[in-house]
Every structure is written in structure tokens, then in C-alpha cells.
Amino acid sequence: MRAYETVLKSIEADLRSGKIKIGDQLPGERALAETHGISRASVRDAIRILDAMGMVRTSTGSGPNSGAVVISEPAIGLSATLRLHVASRQLSVADIVESRILLETWAARSADLSSDPERSAAVLRRTADLLTAMDDPGLNREEFHDLDSQFHVLLSSLAGNAVIEAMMESLRLSISEYVSESVSGDDAWQQIAEVLRAQHHGIHRAVAAGDGTVAATLLREHIDWFYTETRQL
Amino acid sequence: MRAYETVLKSIEADLRSGKIKIGDQLPGERALAETHGISRASVRDAIRILDAMGMVRTSTGSGPNSGAVVISEPAIGLSATLRLHVASRQLSVADIVESRILLETWAARSADLSSDPERSAAVLRRTADLLTAMDDPGLNREEFHDLDSQFHVLLSSLAGNAVIEAMMESLRLSISEYVSESVSGDDAWQQIAEVLRAQHHGIHRAVAAGDGTVAATLLREHIDWFYTETRQL
């Protein structure tokens, strides 16, 4: 086992046992190095890896609040990994798109508005607000994509499976640059955005009406259409 | 951007453009540090992260063959990330199990034996060999789990989506220790293994007969049964 793996295993064990929780600050480099009998360089390796996996947030600078804080943003780590494997052509964009369709249509069919009506109503209000924001023709592309991503992730949260949500978001993030590269010119982009807006409203209506089957069909068409328009698979 | 991210981005770009391919050796630390104008410590950070993501294999030692070789094993990186987020309780074992069922039943329904009959026949022969190996009562638990994992991944490869395969394998790996912890005693384990063997044979027969619907139903029962037996969700 490499030295940094000792630290990762120990942090995993401490997370499992509840000794470390989200929001906690990890012990400093020196303390971790002493505890595990390894070099400070190996401790830094472990912290960098945790950072890349979306498990800690490290701040630069020094002082008592400069350590690594435990967070949990699985989609960050998953998408960073997927991106590189897509770049190496071991995973294809077509397979990523097919997987995204599988996860999102499952989430639409599994959405259950009645199990927690208040929460569902809040999600539907927030997703409606995101659609209104996306209707603004003055948005630039990056702003649009950011709202678009929030819309899909939030809507799929109605299915109540955080793993599917994280995987869905990571699939999307892992290929976003392939899409961005392919649409050149603001005119072409504005035309695409117009269609996306209409599709989003349709998906939202179907989910709000509790019709998971229709929502799933519309989502499949929406995702298929987008990737066909924006690149050659 | 952190210094190590510069290296990751540049390696991603080189993979995309084909300048670096799987099997290639990365330039040495000194060369990468000079190219990017960063410290060798930051280069090492990047290499460690690539290693944790299943993107390179690093050998210890020195000499001309001691550098990092580009590989692509997405399931390694994905499962390492999922494990930690499960440990932090941000992702639940129940959600992982539900996701595993979704992906495996999709793969069973999407298996297409006719598109490449020779390859399909080869996969079915190799999975049958794995079942024969698993029938050996002298196997220890680790050996059994290893063959079991190969069986599931190989069978699902008939659906032809490498992303689903990688995610499926990573879900399984990310919770394997939770399962291992819960079954104590070899007697209890032997009884479970007996049921798993019978279920695997049934799944294999359904896939070989081209009946994706039955295979999907059997897979769902198999996965559900296993996690219910081996731990409290």
C-alpha cells in the first residue's frame, strides 16, 4: 500500500465510525503525519486526492482555519474521473449520453410527489423559477448551462436517490466541454436555447402533473435532441 | 486554479487530441514541471490524483521505465470516490443498491446477442466458466466475490455500454466492505453462497436464451436478496 493510501483508509474508517463528520476540519499535516508514521508529503498527497474527489475543501493561506474541511460533493469527484476516461476514449460520449438518458428517465418515472407533498411543492416552485430565469434572452451560454444543470438535478431529486443524482450530474459535467466546443456562433446557440426552453417547460408540466411516463419520454427526446444538434456522436 | 490542476488539464487535452494514448509513458516529473512552470511537488500531486482515478499506473523504483504509464480503469476511480462519500453518509448503501439494480437490469434488457454473435457466444462461454469456478466449495470468500464480480461485469458487457459497466462495477466495489463486515462465520457464508450459485445459473440461462425481461427480474431478486441477507439497509 502506498503511504497516502494509509491516510485515505484511516479517514474512511473515521467517517464510517462517525469520528469525523461533514463540516469538521481534518487534523493538520503534522498531526496526520505523526499519527500514521509517514511523511508530510504523503499526507499532502492524500489531502489533494480527497480534494479532487470532492471530499474536502482546502483553503490556501495559513493560520488555525487553513486546514482541510470535510465536505461531500460526490458529483465533483465522479465527473473529474469520467472526464479523463472520456478524454482517453475508453468511455465514449455516446455511452455517456445513453447513461444520462437511463438515469434521468428512471428518476422521472420514480418521482413520487405524494410521499412528501411540501418538499415536492417546494422543488416544483424552485424548478419553475429556474425556467423563468432561463427564459431571459440576455443570459450568456455559461449562465444558461448552469441554470439548466440545476433544473435537471433538482427535478430528478424528486426520485429520492442521491447516488443517481450524483451520477447524473457527473455524466453531464464530464461531457459539457465536448458540447461547448461544437456550437460556434451566438446565433446558432440562441436557436438551440429556444428549443431547450420549450422542452424544459414541457418536462416540468409533466412532472408537476405526476405523469412520470410522459416526463420520461420528453426527457429522452430532449437529451437525444440536444446531443444530436450539438455534436456528431 | 491550483498548480496540479494545470497538469491535469494539459494531460486531459493531450488525451483528447491523441497526443497521449493508453499505454504511453508520461514525461518525467522534471520535464512536466518545466513544461508547466510549476514545482515537481505539484507534478507529483497530479500523478497521485491520476493514479487514484485509475488513469495511470505508477511503478516504484527508478530508471527509464519508472514513470507513470497511462491506463484507463474508470471503475477504480469511480469506486474510490463513491466509497468515501458512502462512508461520510452523504450517499446511502440503500441508494447504491437501488442504482446497481437499475444499471444491471437495464444491461440485461439491452443485451443484444445477435449484433455480434461470435462475441456474444464467447462471453456466454466465459461466464459459464466463471459459474463452474464458483461452484467449487473450496473457494474462500474473497475468491468467490472476485469471480462473482467478473461474472456480473462480463455478462452486462453484452449491452455494449462501457459507462454503465464502469458505474455498475464501481457501485459494487464501493459497498463490498459493508457487506463483508456483516456476515460473520463461514457457515453463514456457505449458506449464502449456495443461494447465490443457484441464482447466477438462472440469470445465465435467461441471458443465454435471449430473454432480457426474465434476466432483469432474476437480477433484481438476486441483488435485493443478497443485500437484505447480508446487512440491514
Side-chain angles (χ1 to χ4, degrees):
Chain A
M1 203 189 300
R2 298 176 197 284
Y4 72 85
E5 290 181 87
T6 315
V7 183
L8 291 181
K9 281 213 169 288
S10 145
I11 287 174
E12 184 183 334
D14 287 349
L15 284 165
R16 274 204 210 191
S17 71
K19 202 173 143 192
I20 299 178
K21 295 180 308 296
I22 291 174
D24 286 355
Q25 200 168 347
L26 289 185
E29 265 175 36
R30 186 191 307 239
L32 284 171
E34 278 172 16
T35 307
H36 299 290
I38 59 175
S39 69
R40 287 180 68 163
S42 293
V43 170
R44 268 195 296 274
D45 285 344
I47 304 293
R48 293 286 191 224
I49 289 170
L50 290 169
D51 185 70
M53 286 178 172
M55 274 308 307
V56 302
R57 182 177 293 127
T58 53
S59 51
T60 46
S62 56
N65 299 316
S66 64
V69 174
V70 178
I71 60 169
S72 181
E73 301 194 4
I76 290 181
L78 297 176
S79 61
T81 303
L82 284 170
R83 283 174 67 99
L84 281 157
H85 292 285
V86 170
S88 76
R89 297 187 179 73
Q90 198 61 18
L91 300 179
S92 75
V93 174
D95 283 0
I96 295 253
V97 171
E98 186 174 48
S99 309
R100 199 188 145 196
I101 290 174
L102 170 65
L103 301 183
E104 291 209 38
T105 57
W106 175 86
R109 286 194 310 274
S110 308
D112 179 4
L113 305 183
S114 60
S115 71
D116 185 347
E118 262 185 55
R119 192 182 164 270
S120 302
V123 167
L124 290 170
R125 271 197 308 276
R126 284 173 58 202
T127 43
D129 290 346
L130 288 166
L131 293 184
T132 305
M134 272 188 277
D135 283 343
D136 178 355
L139 286 181
N140 70 33
R141 242 181 106 170
E142 206 164 319
E143 291 164 337
F144 187 93
H145 281 311
D146 182 49
L147 294 168
D148 189 342
S149 189
Q150 288 180 49
F151 171 76
H152 280 270
V153 172
L154 190 55
L155 209 59
S156 76
S157 74
L158 291 169
N161 185 316
V163 174
I164 303 275
E165 258 176 78
M167 291 197 304
M168 219 189 82
E169 194 178 358
S170 69
L171 292 172
R172 188 190 173 84
L173 291 171
S174 68
I175 53 172
S176 62
E177 277 175 36
Y178 286 78
V179 170
S180 302
E181 278 170 4
S182 66
V183 183
S184 54
D186 194 55
D187 274 4
W189 166 245
Q190 286 300 342
Q191 286 177 26
I192 288 171
E194 208 45 56
V195 178
L196 296 180
R197 286 183 183 108
Q199 290 172 335
H200 283 157
H201 280 286
I203 292 162
H204 191 266
R205 272 193 301 274
V207 173
D211 196 336
T213 310
V214 169
T217 304
L218 294 175
L219 270 165
R220 176 185 297 275
E221 287 170 5
H222 167 62
I223 298 172
D224 258 341
W225 179 85
F226 180 62
Y227 289 111
T228 309
E229 280 298 304
T230 53
R231 73 184 303 278
Q232 302 297 322
L233 301 177
Chain B
M1 203 190 301
R2 298 176 198 283
Y4 72 86
E5 290 181 88
T6 315
V7 183
L8 290 182
K9 281 211 169 292
S10 146
I11 287 174
E12 184 182 335
D14 287 350
L15 285 166
R16 275 205 210 190
S17 71
K19 203 173 141 191
I20 299 178
K21 296 181 306 299
I22 291 174
D24 286 355
Q25 201 169 348
L26 288 185
E29 265 176 36
R30 186 191 307 239
L32 285 171
E34 279 173 14
T35 307
H36 298 291
I38 59 174
S39 69
R40 288 180 68 165
S42 293
V43 170
R44 268 195 296 275
D45 284 344
I47 304 292
R48 293 285 191 227
I49 289 169
L50 290 169
D51 184 70
M53 285 176 172
M55 274 307 308
V56 302
R57 183 177 292 126
T58 54
S59 52
T60 47
S62 57
N65 299 316
S66 66
V69 174
V70 179
I71 60 169
S72 181
E73 301 194 4
I76 290 181
L78 297 176
S79 60
T81 303
L82 284 170
R83 282 174 68 99
L84 280 156
H85 292 285
V86 170
S88 76
R89 295 188 179 72
Q90 198 61 17
L91 301 179
S92 74
V93 174
D95 284 359
I96 295 255
V97 171
E98 186 175 45
S99 309
R100 200 188 145 195
I101 290 174
L102 170 64
L103 301 183
E104 292 209 37
T105 57
W106 176 87
R109 284 193 312 273
S110 307
D112 179 4
L113 305 183
S114 61
S115 71
D116 185 345
E118 262 185 55
R119 193 184 162 271
S120 301
V123 167
L124 290 170
R125 270 196 308 275
R126 284 174 57 203
T127 43
D129 289 346
L130 288 167
L131 293 185
T132 306
M134 270 188 278
D135 283 342
D136 178 355
L139 287 180
N140 68 34
R141 241 180 106 167
E142 208 166 317
E143 291 164 337
F144 187 94
H145 280 311
D146 183 47
L147 295 167
D148 188 344
S149 190
Q150 288 180 48
F151 171 76
H152 280 269
V153 173
L154 189 54
L155 208 61
S156 76
S157 74
L158 292 169
N161 186 314
V163 174
I164 303 274
E165 259 176 77
M167 291 198 304
M168 218 190 83
E169 194 178 357
S170 69
L171 292 172
R172 187 189 174 84
L173 291 170
S174 68
I175 54 172
S176 62
E177 278 175 35
Y178 286 79
V179 171
S180 302
E181 277 170 4
S182 65
V183 184
S184 52
D186 193 56
D187 274 3
W189 166 246
Q190 286 300 343
Q191 287 176 26
I192 288 171
E194 207 46 55
V195 178
L196 296 179
R197 287 184 183 108
Q199 290 171 334
H200 282 157
H201 281 285
I203 291 162
H204 192 266
R205 273 193 300 274
V207 173
D211 196 336
T213 310
V214 169
T217 304
L218 294 175
L219 270 165
R220 176 184 298 275
E221 287 170 5
H222 167 63
I223 299 171
D224 258 340
W225 180 85
F226 180 62
Y227 289 112
T228 309
E229 281 298 304
T230 54
R231 74 184 300 281
Q232 302 297 323
L233 300 175

